Amino acid sequence: MPSPSDKRISPPLVDLPIRTASKGFYDGFSREVTIPAKVIVSLLIMWAIFFPVSANETLTAANSTIISTFSGWYVYLVAFLMSACVVLAVIPQSGRLRIGMADEKPEFGRLSWFAMLFGAGIGIGVLTYSTGEPLAHFSNNPDIIRGLVASQSAEAVRSAYIYTFLHWGFAAWGTYALVGLSIGYVAYRRGLPLTIRSALAPLFGKAMSGPFGHLVDIVAVVATILGVAVTMGLGVEQFVAGLARLGLGDWLLDPDGSSSLPAVVLALVILVGASTLSALSGVGKGLKWLSNLNLGLSALLLLIFAIFGSLIFGLKTLGLGIFDYIRTLVPNTLTLFSKDAPFGAELVKWQLDWSVFYWAWWIAFAPFVGMFIARISRGRTIREYIFGVMLVPSLVCFVWMALVGGTAIDLELSGAAGGSIVNAEMSDQLFATLAVLLSPAFAQIAAGLIVILLLTYLVTSADSAILIVNTINGAGETEGDRRHHIIFWGAALAFVVGSMLVLGGIDAIRITMIIGALPFSFVLAAMGVGVVKAVMFDLIRKKQGVPTTSAAVADDVTAPQDTAR
């Protein structure tokens, strides 16, 4: 008599119908997803514009409550996502499975693939934080708080880069990789719609066609808009700082050094207008061209720092930083500071301001970046996909932070900067570094390059976000007339960023994003469980000779689908 483990598993679910309108303004879209998502984002914008005092007070109160309550959840969730990716990649049987049919080839070459991964992921953040984060941790980090090293000393450099790499390494890209894999695996192997809810089909089956599935996609759309808003807000502030460095007028900055209202409006009109036009051209045209341009301009900027900056210091910092990062990755990923420990209050505050903020940012950014990565990664094996998504962009971030941020730190340690870099606003620190490093004329040219690079990165991120939001709203479809909806989401993104910058600066956007990330974090946890289950059950199916792809299921008409797997 066969044991329960020998029972033949049914083929996977290969049909997840999502109702979309067949005519009218929402032709090709799910009204149940699109309309509520638009209403929620519109209400958020109106609340910030018409009730700024109430909005600011509510955001501040909600921020302290949510972060203090769910900080452990964010920390351990990100650790789980990274672990799931690594396990799926290193197991030989699962690593060989293809995100698509068995003989399918990737749509994009590796160079364009890497360029789009980096450009749509965290290119803007790297420009802002390339100097800002190493300098911040150079001044204050857990080792400095504990009194193990002195602030802004040579001994503080190694610990500064441990935490910089912690935030910009596998945690970010593992989160993105997990979302992209969980969507792409079921979309391209099983023929399910390319949307967030499909990733939960291995757990909940056809239930994802109904209200529960609509709710998942709505949460993903709102999280995407808020996650991208943080990136856009950072980029707008640095873009304005760059224009001011180019001598375009004192009106760009307020007396406190922040971006003025006219400058914010001008920047958003330029950036969102360009991204909307790019989105109208589609992923295969404008976005691919912009991503390749980003890669070239980034390489040119990095070359400037390699030639004129502190190359030896940066390379030494890079080597030690990667060694220290790998050495401390597990304990630092799993550490949750407590107020009861020595220096507990300061350590908890540091972790909430930095690590927990980043984990929330990556989670809020994940539906957008994950969907986009899934869109451009069809045909790759799980192993190639995970190692490519996690390792290559992480290494690029490390090199960037070490050479650019290392130059800034070296200029401060040597006394050449005299505090002009470390004491500048974060949005201006990259320009301040160039001002110390180069002659005035050359610094102006380099600043102009950064402004152009910011423009292309901002356009790429907003462009990608608009396309992905419409893909979710369109039940995974990218065809059809999307023009009016592209324009709506472009304008909505501009108003979210503008209203929050005026309301409370980048902090208001950060708080709003952290709140928006929380609901999606639970969806993300389920996605992690779902993709592990889907892959493991497919491996069992392969052993039993049961079809695992939509094409094979279609050929095997005798076997019923497993509606929960």
Side-chain angles (χ1 to χ4, degrees):
M1 183 176 179
S3 65
S5 60
D6 295 327
K7 184 178 179 181
R8 190 173 189 266
I9 298 178
S10 299
L13 176 69
V14 296
D15 181 33
L16 188 68
I18 302 174
R19 187 175 63 182
T20 57
S22 58
K23 60 181 179 179
F25 184 77
Y26 289 98
D27 182 23
F29 283 80
S30 169
R31 289 193 179 97
E32 293 83 357
V33 175
T34 310
I35 294 175
K38 286 184 175 180
V39 168
I40 292 171
V41 173
S42 298
L43 290 174
L44 179 64
I45 293 169
M46 289 188 289
W47 180 49
I49 292 175
F50 296 112
F51 304 99
V53 175
S54 172
N56 202 13
E57 292 175 351
T58 303
L59 286 176
T60 302
N63 176 54
S64 60
T65 302
I66 289 176
I67 287 187
S68 61
T69 303
F70 291 96
S71 57
W73 166 247
Y74 282 131
V75 168
Y76 296 129
L77 173 60
V78 169
F80 161 69
L81 299 176
M82 285 193 291
S83 302
C85 285
V86 172
V87 169
L88 290 175
V90 299
I91 294 176
Q93 295 88 339
S94 61
R96 286 193 294 266
L97 290 175
R98 196 168 292 276
I99 306 173
M101 302 304 167
D103 57 349
E104 203 160 359
K105 300 300 181 184
E107 179 181 359
F108 300 100
R110 282 183 177 162
L111 184 61
S112 292
W113 186 54
F114 291 143
M116 287 189 283
L117 285 177
F118 189 73
I122 49 179
I124 299 170
V126 166
L127 281 177
T128 300
Y129 284 99
S130 58
T131 49
E133 181 148 5
L135 285 170
H137 300 326
F138 177 60
S139 301
N140 187 45
N141 67 56
D143 287 354
I144 294 173
I145 292 172
R146 295 188 185 103
L148 302 178
V149 294
S151 176
Q152 299 186 17
S153 66
E155 292 74 23
V157 176
R158 288 187 69 168
S159 59
Y161 273 91
I162 287 176
Y163 296 107
T164 298
F165 287 1
L166 174 69
H167 297 149
W168 291 88
F170 301 156
W173 292 99
T175 301
Y176 299 158
L178 189 284
V179 173
L181 177 62
S182 61
I183 298 168
Y185 189 84
V186 297
Y188 299 136
R189 286 183 64 87
R190 303 181 177 186
L192 302 188
L194 187 71
T195 188
I196 301 296
R197 72 173 77 187
S198 295
L200 301 188
L203 295 179
F204 304 109
K206 287 196 172 182
M208 298 311 298
S209 290
F212 183 38
H214 301 330
L215 179 61
V216 167
D217 281 347
I218 292 168
V219 166
V221 169
V222 174
T224 295
I225 293 298
L226 296 180
V228 174
V230 172
T231 300
M232 291 290 291
L234 291 169
V236 164
E237 290 199 328
Q238 194 171 24
F239 184 76
V240 172
L243 294 178
R245 284 277 179 175
L246 292 175
L248 298 186
D250 295 336
W251 62 274
L252 292 164
L253 301 176
D254 285 334
D256 62 356
S258 61
S259 304
S260 67
L261 177 58
V264 169
V265 172
L266 174 65
L268 287 173
V269 169
I270 294 173
L271 299 170
V272 177
S275 63
T276 302
L277 292 175
S278 178
L280 290 169
S281 71
V283 68
K285 298 178 182 178
L287 190 52
K288 181 179 178 180
W289 183 85
L290 281 172
S291 296
N292 288 329
L293 178 62
N294 289 343
L295 188 64
L297 292 176
S298 298
L300 179 58
L301 181 60
L302 199 61
L303 183 62
I304 291 174
F305 276 91
I307 295 174
F308 300 101
S310 305
L311 179 61
I312 302 302
F313 183 89
L315 291 176
K316 179 181 177 182
T317 299
L318 175 64
L320 289 173
I322 292 176
F323 171 76
D324 289 340
Y325 171 63
I326 299 299
R327 175 177 58 85
T328 62
L329 177 60
V330 173
N332 281 342
T333 299
L334 296 175
T335 293
L336 186 66
F337 293 124
S338 170
K339 290 184 178 180
D340 297 330
F343 310 103
E346 293 178 79
L347 290 171
V348 167
K349 183 180 186 306
W350 180 91
Q351 187 170 42
L352 297 181
D353 289 344
W354 286 99
S355 299
V356 175
F357 158 69
Y358 272 120
W359 299 168
W361 188 8
W362 305 150
I363 289 168
F365 221 41
F368 148 52
V369 181
M371 280 278 291
F372 180 75
I373 293 175
R375 168 64 183 82
I376 64 175
S377 299
R378 182 170 186 163
R380 302 192 183 275
T381 65
I382 289 178
R383 181 174 297 110
E384 178 189 18
Y385 167 86
I386 289 178
F387 285 157
V389 174
M390 287 187 68
L391 295 180
V392 175
S394 293
L395 182 59
V396 172
C397 288
F398 295 165
V399 171
W400 193 280
M401 297 282 186
L403 291 185
V404 179
T407 296
I409 290 177
D410 191 38
L411 291 172
E412 289 291 353
L413 284 174
S414 67
S420 63
I421 301 174
V422 72
N423 294 325
E425 292 288 329
M426 183 177 290
S427 60
D428 191 45
Q429 285 179 329
L430 182 56
F431 300 107
T433 302
L434 291 169
V436 176
L437 186 65
L438 305 173
S439 66
F442 200 5
Q444 285 280 92
I445 295 173
L449 171 64
I450 294 172
V451 168
I452 295 172
L453 186 55
L454 277 167
L455 175 63
T456 58
Y457 269 135
L458 284 162
V459 169
T460 304
S461 291
D463 173 352
S464 305
I466 293 168
L467 288 171
I468 293 307
V469 164
N470 275 329
T471 301
I472 298 173
N473 289 334
E477 294 296 328
T478 58
E479 302 299 326
D481 189 0
R482 299 286 192 263
R483 289 174 295 177
H484 297 96
H485 304 282
I486 286 173
I487 293 170
F488 172 86
W489 289 112
L493 190 56
F495 275 107
V496 168
V497 174
S499 62
M500 291 298 168
L501 282 176
V502 174
L503 176 65
I506 195 64
D507 286 341
I509 302 179
R510 287 165 56 130
I511 294 170
T512 308
M513 178 275 301
I514 290 173
I515 297 170
L518 183 59
F520 186 72
S521 69
F522 298 104
V523 175
L524 186 51
M527 293 173 76
V529 175
V531 71
V532 171
K533 178 183 178 183
V535 170
M536 293 299 107
F537 272 67
D538 275 358
L539 293 178
I540 297 173
R541 290 185 179 102
K542 286 172 72 70
K543 286 185 177 180
Q544 297 179 346
V546 177
T548 62
T549 64
S550 56
V553 171
D555 292 337
D556 185 12
V557 295
T558 61
Q561 295 178 35
D562 188 331
T563 59
R565 290 170 184 162

